[in-house]
Amino acid sequence: MDLNKLAQALIPDENVKPLDYYEQAYPERDLPQGAHVTRLAPSPTGFMHLGNLYVALANERIAHQSGGVFYLRIEDTDEKRKVEGAVEVIHKSLKYFGVNFDEGADLCGNYGPYYQRQRAEIYHAYAKELIRQGLAYPCFCTEEDLEKTREYQTENKLLPGYYGEFAKCRNLTEEEIYANLEAGKPYVIRLKSQGDVEQKHTFHDQVKGDITVTENNQDVVILKSDGIPTYHFAHAIDDHFMRTTLVIRGEEWLSSLPIHIELFKVLGFKLPKYGHNCSIQKIDGETRRKLSKRKDPEASLTFYREEGYHPTAVRTYMMTLLNSNFEEWLLKFPDKPLDEFKYSIGKMGKSGALFDILKLNDISKTFMSTLSAEEMFDFLAEWVSEFGTDAQKAYFADKDYLCKVLTLCMGIGGKKRRKDFVCAKQAVEMIAYFFDNTFAPAYEYRFDNETVKKVLNGFKATFDVADDMPTWFDKVKAIATENGFATDMKAYKADPTAFPGNVSDIAEMLRIATTGLSNTPDLWTIMQILGAERTLARIEKAIASL
Ligand code: GLU
């Protein structure tokens, strides 16, 4: 068979150039010894999974810590999954978490185009070459043909796929091929696999260690009927010509590894190093399962932005999942920039990483408590400008006031920093009572209305915003005494039934009246921030509600 002629008939792309053209156009990168070239290669589906950030962070750290390059390639070969604006979503969501690319889609770079759909010519050049070498062939099987084969294989408990005796088009004669072409039958191009499933090899996976890999014997599709490559074929060509040295990708690709090993071999390319990252899992009742896009809101990167998790907190948490020695480092150097941590592929988890939102919240609280009031102001302002209500946006009109609120709520200047803030959404909700436009108290007292009324009236009569804390508290104590409440805690503890309550119950009534809450930071300071007029207006409002 004239394979040159066949290659031309099957792939008549006029743009295809001789193969050495591509080798010269995309030369080896001039990088220091040991530098890694890594990439993120998402499909533009518009959805960014936490797993994307996970894999992006690993690749980014490895590239940048080795003095290498981290780039973005868009794997858009599947038209059905493509969503308008998806690439902006990828950039925006990763940038938020501090993941920056050196080159790639919508950025500059000498190894593009970085959209696979724009690289058809290169894929065609290599598919043609494989046909010329007798390593690829056209397949005219219809969906029904394939379905029949599948059914037969299932019934007879045979391995599924297009291989061996099931690879019907593998041995078509020249006449049959041209007759099919003349009849206008659609075709795909398949690899003519040279592998043998009896052959097993040891493969060193950068994450999982030594694994056994069975040779591929599947005649996988390399070009679909519209001339668009499959992921298998495209990624092999792209990783070669973009000079990727290390591929960290999700473990769902591990089962395709034999195909990829064979493709690199037949294409004459050096196989990059591979590391298969374990998937992120969560505990669901009694079981442990993959974090699911459908079931778990926290699977989406959008979730963290909408909730207003600080990017550094999320990044810190992700590092605890990615590298087993990270937490130890963090304990030792809590104030060092995260990028100073020496990332190591060897310390990546070999089995599922367990996502635990409580731990993220914990890390988040600790991180938030390290910010200054000014930093918190800026962080909240940014979140509110995108996700906040108009009422919340109004909080930011008086910076001085809000910074005082934050200083108190974060315990700045106190003995110990408070760790109340987890994320922007919750923080902004937590401070709502400081603002009249969002002050919506439910007033749930633990004492009867008469008592509360007496206490509030007593407070109203004596309150002076100029009082320092001890004076203010003496007045609260006086109200307690007037109402028969204990001020001597020893006496109270000795016989609690002798009193309706103690001075802290009085403070609680005042707290609820002023803030609507029974649990807040220091009440005297809250009143200082609110000022005399607003404090009294609140006390009056509370009295009126009784
Ligand atoms: N497009 C593939 C994905 O989104 C990329 C896998 C890889 O990194 O090679 O899963």
Side-chain angles (χ1 to χ4, degrees), residues 432-445 509-518 537-545:
Y433 65 85
F434 281 98
F435 303 89
D436 288 340
N437 59 351
T438 47
F439 176 58
Y443 297 130
E444 282 164 10
Y445 303 100
M509 292 177 222
L510 295 172
R511 192 183 300 278
I512 293 175
T514 316
T515 67
L517 304 169
S518 54
R538 289 191 176 192
I539 299 290
E540 270 157 21
K541 182 178 160 120
I543 295 170
S545 78

Side-chain angles (χ1 to χ4, degrees), residues 39 41-43 75 231 249 253:
R39 82 304 193 271
S43 298
E75 305 214 322
Y231 163 72
R249 61 180 178 185
W253 294 108

Side-chain angles (χ1 to χ4, degrees), residues 107-132:
L107 301 166
C108 50
N110 297 327
Y111 289 81
Y114 295 93
Y115 283 84
Q116 287 185 325
R117 281 200 167 250
Q118 295 170 17
R119 303 172 59 79
E121 164 201 333
I122 315 181
Y123 307 131
H124 291 171
Y126 277 85
K128 265 179 128 161
E129 177 62 16
L130 294 186
I131 297 168
R132 271 188 222 114

Side-chain angles (χ1 to χ4, degrees), residues 170-444:
R170 190 176 165 117
N171 298 313
L172 291 182
T173 62
E174 195 166 6
E175 290 71 36
E176 285 169 323
I177 292 175
Y178 284 105
N180 281 335
L181 290 180
E182 255 150 53
K185 284 196 188 167
Y187 58 90
V188 299
I189 306 294
R190 285 185 184 274
L191 169 75
K192 191 178 260 182
S193 173
Q194 309 297 304
D196 172 0
V197 277
E198 297 304 319
Q199 299 296 321
K200 303 197 188 299
H201 306 279
T202 300
F203 179 85
H204 186 72
D205 185 281
Q206 299 296 309
V207 176
K208 303 216 177 275
D210 282 346
I211 53 173
T212 303
V213 169
T214 304
E215 276 188 12
N216 170 60
N217 72 339
Q218 298 276 340
D219 285 359
V220 291
V221 175
I222 56 173
L223 287 188
K224 296 182 261 185
S225 56
D226 55 2
I228 300 294
T230 54
Y231 163 72
H232 305 308
F233 193 56
H235 105 279
I237 290 182
D238 295 344
D239 280 331
H240 174 71
F241 284 113
M242 295 179 181
R243 306 296 173 181
T244 311
T245 60
L246 171 66
V247 175
I248 301 284
R249 61 180 178 185
E251 66 185 353
E252 66 275 19
W253 294 108
L254 196 54
S255 57
S256 309
L257 185 63
I259 299 171
H260 302 158
I261 293 174
E262 182 170 16
L263 279 172
F264 273 89
K265 190 168 158 202
V266 296
L267 287 165
F269 299 156
K270 182 169 176 254
L271 192 70
K273 289 185 168 137
Y274 281 97
H276 292 88
N277 214 358
C278 55
S279 54
I280 305 181
Q281 305 183 332
K282 74 179 266 182
I283 302 270
D284 185 2
E286 303 278 284
T287 54
R288 199 174 151 136
R289 62 162 174 79
K290 257 192 182 171
L291 203 59
S292 140
K293 166 179 169 179
R294 215 164 28 82
K295 294 188 205 152
D296 309 311
E298 70 273 28
S300 162
L301 283 190
T302 318
F303 170 84
Y304 302 91
R305 296 202 45 230
E306 285 174 358
E307 293 294 304
Y309 278 95
H310 195 287
T312 306
V314 177
R315 220 183 136 120
T316 306
Y317 176 62
M318 293 309 278
M319 290 301 283
T320 68
L321 289 182
L322 274 164
N323 248 200
S324 56
N325 55 334
F326 173 74
E327 274 189 271
E328 206 180 299
W329 178 87
L330 188 65
L331 277 175
K332 249 200 226 154
F333 309 107
D335 301 324
K336 278 200 179 179
L338 290 185
D339 285 355
E340 283 189 25
F341 170 70
K342 182 106 196 56
Y343 193 87
S344 138
I345 313 179
K347 295 272 195 276
M348 287 174 72
K350 293 186 183 12
S351 51
L354 197 58
F355 179 82
D356 177 0
I357 198 144
L358 297 178
K359 184 158 176 191
L360 166 64
N361 288 348
D362 236 43
I363 287 181
S364 216
K365 279 182 193 169
T366 304
F367 174 76
M368 298 279 262
S369 77
T370 65
L371 298 182
S372 66
E374 185 96 6
E375 284 166 334
M376 186 60 87
F377 179 93
D378 291 343
F379 172 61
L380 297 180
E382 202 189 316
W383 180 84
V384 162
S385 70
E386 196 168 350
F387 301 103
T389 61
D390 285 343
Q392 290 172 335
K393 284 181 187 142
Y395 298 175
F396 294 82
D398 185 346
K399 184 166 181 177
D400 193 44
Y401 182 75
L402 181 48
C403 280
K404 277 189 200 149
V405 170
L406 295 174
T407 302
L408 170 68
C409 293
M410 295 166 75
I412 297 171
K415 275 201 210 86
K416 228 171 122 198
R417 292 285 296 255
R418 295 180 70 98
K419 292 188 178 179
D420 296 341
F421 292 170
V422 179
C423 54
K425 187 176 176 182
Q426 168 257 9
V428 171
E429 279 164 10
M430 258 185 127
I431 59 172
Y433 65 85
F434 281 98
F435 303 89
D436 288 340
N437 59 351
T438 47
F439 176 58
Y443 297 130
E444 282 164 10

